[in-house]
Amino acid sequence: MRIYLLPLFLIAGCTDACIRVAPPAPGMPAAPCKTCAANLIIITQLGAGAKKMDGDSIVTTGACSQRTFTCKGIQATIEFSGAGGALGAVQDGGTGTATYTVTCSADGTKWEADGQTITGVECAAVPRRPSMQ
């Protein structure tokens, strides 16, 4: 019986040792997501109809962090500015919700949108009239 087991043992050992195994491709490790400080964007409440943002969230998945501002209300608008002043605004399109997303720069020093550095945002909406009961 030992004669039969010995060849079987040698075949199993040789099979494990003789199977060609390709090493995994090393590839490039994923670059860590850059994060920007939240205080690089000032949220103001200065203009007509200005109010507190209804949402301000930062997502750190992907190449670089993304920050999304949400403003809700009648004719909701998010105005955004840079170092030189007002740059534009995003309106709700009749939905009652305006959103504006910025992305952290590759070096982690500023928030950007459409190639512009964003330093300020403001939510504005037409105030709702109190309901008459």
Side-chain angles (χ1 to χ4, degrees), residues 43-126:
I43 302 172
T44 60
Q45 294 181 44
L46 304 172
K51 66 183 207 76
K52 182 180 175 185
M53 282 285 174
D54 293 289
D56 178 2
S57 63
I58 297 176
V59 177
T60 57
T61 57
C64 287
S65 298
Q66 289 192 321
R67 186 174 182 183
T68 301
F69 297 97
T70 304
C71 179
K72 295 181 179 181
I74 300 169
Q75 297 177 350
T77 302
I78 298 175
E79 299 168 349
F80 51 93
S81 59
L87 296 172
V90 176
Q91 297 179 337
D92 67 1
T95 65
T97 301
T99 59
Y100 184 61
T101 301
V102 294
T103 302
C104 183
S105 63
D107 63 0
T109 62
K110 59 191 172 203
W111 292 100
E112 301 174 312
D114 298 321
Q116 299 176 318
T117 299
I118 306 302
T119 59
V121 293
E122 182 168 294
C123 171
V126 174

Side-chain angles (χ1 to χ4, degrees), residues 21-48:
V21 177
M28 293 290 291
C33 179
K34 297 290 183 182
T35 57
C36 289
N39 67 356
L40 292 174
I41 295 182
I42 297 170
I43 302 172
T44 60
Q45 294 181 44
L46 304 172

